Amino acid sequence: MGQELDEVTLPGFLKDLKDAAINNTKTITDSPATIRAMVQILENVAKRADSLNITIFEESTKNIMESAGILTTDTARKSWLDLNNENSTNKQNKFASSLFLRAFEVITTSVVNQPLKINTPHIIFTKTNFTNFFSEDFNSSVEIDIPEAGGGKQSITVILFASMDIVLPAREKATLSSAVINGKVALIRPNSDITNISIAFDVLNDTLGNPKCVFWKFDLFDGLGGWSNDGCSFVYSINGTVSCNCNHTTSFSILMSPSSPDDPTLNLITYIGVGISMACLVICLIIEGIVWRKIRRNTTSYLRHVSIVNIAVSLLIADIWFIIGAAISKTENAPACTATTFFIHFFYLALFFWMLASGLLLLYRTVSVFEGGLSKMSMLIIGFCLGYGAPLIIATITIAATAPSNQYIRENVVCWLNWDGSKALLGFVIPALMIVVINLIILIVVIVKLLRRRVGENAAQAGEKHVLVVIARSLAVLTPFFGLTWGLGVGTMVSPQNMGIHITFALFNSLQVTFHV
């Protein structure tokens, strides 16, 4: 198709392309293959115009911007995620986003050399003449300043993309991270070399931090392209604006990531609290080991202590992995952080599922005949399947669903489940909070049943009832406390800048064991 284009046929072709794109927007954006075909068409147009020195006039430029803009709409997000999937075996797919941006860089050299201002719904194209210095605010979202551009009349072309973050992945030169594109993407092409340019971006999401000034480098990752900060430096971040300075011109933006408060008080509370927690758990397990032979008075008492031991073991191992995660999160070792997050996720879930096992034991022994029903071995098997089997299934599904797209962990922040990208954290929050609700319902049922029990009981039944009351009392304290603790944990994700929530969560998380013991 592109080989038939020339100075005469190109304008008509671009008009037809724009009409077809607008009339078939949903069909195009829903199909990765169709998007890739559109990118190929734009690339052919750019190459043809460049090789034949075809001048692209204003109307044709506008048609290009409108056609291409459709590929940057939110409805195309899923298709671009499929195209940019780094595990895809189709290399052509993975190159699509970089080729899309490259087409614009080539097209700008063929646009007619006169001032232009073209506004389309998704892309703004500006071509301006200036002398000595340049300063302009584009759509109140990107401000460009060139203080010294040399003498004489010059021109600069700026293409501002409203949502290029849908197209371009946030992969960096240095490492894979949880960073996202948090500003408009601005393609800047002057007609001469510029060695000093200042760019100020309005951030799209003000809950993110750690700004990094970057440009798209086409030869990174074996030609796939990626973001690099070579020649660009961060200047300041004030009131939702990030300022950058670069010694070259190309396509720029800013990368930002979920910020985690690095506060000495918070760190001290966390590490001291976790240390106390681990010490208490060890003491708890030692005590359980000493009295283990004396707790076999009846099945319920025995199973209660089995639950206690497994809750303590799960929390102790989770705390150990938490310390390991805190140590390696600073090293940016993604595989190690992924493995650590899996074990933290698994053992914290195991803690909650053993609490559920305790609750179900309490309910079963309350509503059933005291010495009838399931055998001790049957209940042990059910307890271990529930306590460790269910967490293993959930943790495995979570990592399998999110790790291939590099959205399992919150890299460079802390070794824990991702929230901003894949919402992998829901793989912990939903089961944990559901168990809290189920146990509270069980407590209400059990309390009502116990209050209705007749006074005339034999010694065995009285002993059994005493054990049930002890279990109920433990759950009555632990269930709301754990629910409140991890509810605050969700709060740290929703409001990462709120130091009050972080400190309160650290305190409650440390006190979990005190309440358990």
Side-chain angles (χ1 to χ4, degrees), residues 381-447:
I381 292 172
I382 293 171
F384 276 91
C385 288
L386 182 63
Y388 293 118
L392 181 61
I393 292 171
I394 295 172
T396 302
I397 291 174
T398 303
I399 192 172
T402 58
S405 58
N406 295 313
Q407 291 189 319
Y408 178 61
I409 57 176
R410 297 172 62 215
E411 294 181 43
N412 300 335
V413 182
V414 65
C415 293
W416 185 225
L417 298 169
N418 182 287
W419 172 254
D420 294 281
S422 64
K423 299 293 187 289
L425 182 63
L426 294 178
F428 172 74
V429 171
I430 291 176
L433 295 186
M434 283 182 64
I435 288 171
V436 168
V437 172
I438 292 171
N439 273 1
L440 288 175
I441 294 172
I442 288 174
L443 278 171
I444 293 172
V445 173
V446 168
I447 290 171

Side-chain angles (χ1 to χ4, degrees), residues 134-449:
F134 175 83
S135 180
E136 189 165 341
D137 187 352
F138 292 87
N139 202 35
S140 300
S141 57
V142 175
E143 184 176 344
I144 299 172
D145 291 288
I146 303 175
E148 297 178 4
K153 189 175 182 179
Q154 301 186 56
S155 68
I156 185 171
T157 301
V158 177
I159 301 179
L160 188 65
F161 300 91
S163 49
M164 198 65 165
D165 58 301
I166 291 173
V167 177
L168 297 173
R171 55 177 173 250
E172 297 180 64
K173 173 187 175 182
T175 181
L176 296 175
S177 73
S178 58
V180 297
I181 302 169
N182 199 33
K184 306 291 188 187
V185 175
L187 191 162
I188 305 170
R189 291 297 295 267
N191 66 342
S192 62
D193 291 336
I194 301 294
T195 58
N196 184 15
I197 180 170
S198 295
I199 314 164
F201 297 91
D202 283 358
V203 301
L204 303 178
N205 182 351
D206 58 10
T207 66
L208 302 178
N210 312 312
K212 186 182 296 185
C213 302
V214 291
F215 73 97
W216 187 261
K217 195 170 183 178
F218 290 95
D219 59 2
L220 288 179
F221 300 104
D222 297 324
L224 287 180
W227 296 101
S228 170
N229 61 353
D230 292 345
C232 288
S233 59
F234 167 74
V235 181
Y236 64 79
S237 177
I238 300 176
N239 297 327
T241 299
V242 173
S243 179
C244 306
N245 187 268
C246 298
N247 60 15
H248 56 84
T249 56
T250 179
S251 298
F252 299 95
S253 190
I254 51 172
L255 296 180
M256 299 178 73
S257 58
S259 55
S260 180
D262 187 16
D263 182 83
T265 303
L266 178 60
N267 292 337
L268 189 64
I269 291 172
T270 301
Y271 287 111
I272 291 177
V274 171
I276 295 172
S277 169
M278 293 170 65
C280 290
L281 286 166
V282 171
I283 293 171
C284 173
L285 291 172
I286 292 173
I287 294 172
E288 287 290 329
I290 293 172
V291 302
W292 187 255
R293 292 184 179 180
K294 301 178 181 180
I295 62 176
R296 302 188 181 189
R297 293 190 301 272
N298 56 53
T299 299
T300 306
S301 177
Y302 176 78
L303 293 173
R304 169 183 172 252
H305 284 275
V306 169
S307 296
I308 290 174
V309 168
N310 282 281
I311 288 173
V313 168
S314 297
L315 188 51
L316 177 60
I317 297 175
D319 283 345
I320 292 171
W321 278 108
F322 175 85
I323 295 295
I324 295 172
I328 67 176
S329 63
K330 307 300 182 182
T331 67
E332 298 184 359
N333 187 329
C337 201
T338 297
T340 301
T341 299
F342 176 83
F343 286 112
I344 295 174
H345 184 200
F346 170 72
F347 283 107
Y348 273 135
L349 277 180
L351 156 70
F352 277 92
F353 274 96
W354 274 106
M355 282 180 56
L356 177 61
S358 293
L360 293 176
L361 169 67
L362 175 65
L363 179 64
Y364 174 72
R365 300 301 287 179
T366 303
V367 300
S368 68
V369 178
F370 279 149
E371 294 303 328
L374 295 171
S375 67
K376 180 191 295 185
M377 182 57 65
S378 297
M379 286 191 278
L380 276 176
I381 292 172
I382 293 171
F384 276 91
C385 288
L386 182 63
Y388 293 118
L392 181 61
I393 292 171
I394 295 172
T396 302
I397 291 174
T398 303
I399 192 172
T402 58
S405 58
N406 295 313
Q407 291 189 319
Y408 178 61
I409 57 176
R410 297 172 62 215
E411 294 181 43
N412 300 335
V413 182
V414 65
C415 293
W416 185 225
L417 298 169
N418 182 287
W419 172 254
D420 294 281
S422 64
K423 299 293 187 289
L425 182 63
L426 294 178
F428 172 74
V429 171
I430 291 176
L433 295 186
M434 283 182 64
I435 288 171
V436 168
V437 172
I438 292 171
N439 273 1
L440 288 175
I441 294 172
I442 288 174
L443 278 171
I444 293 172
V445 173
V446 168
I447 290 171
V448 171
K449 288 281 185 182

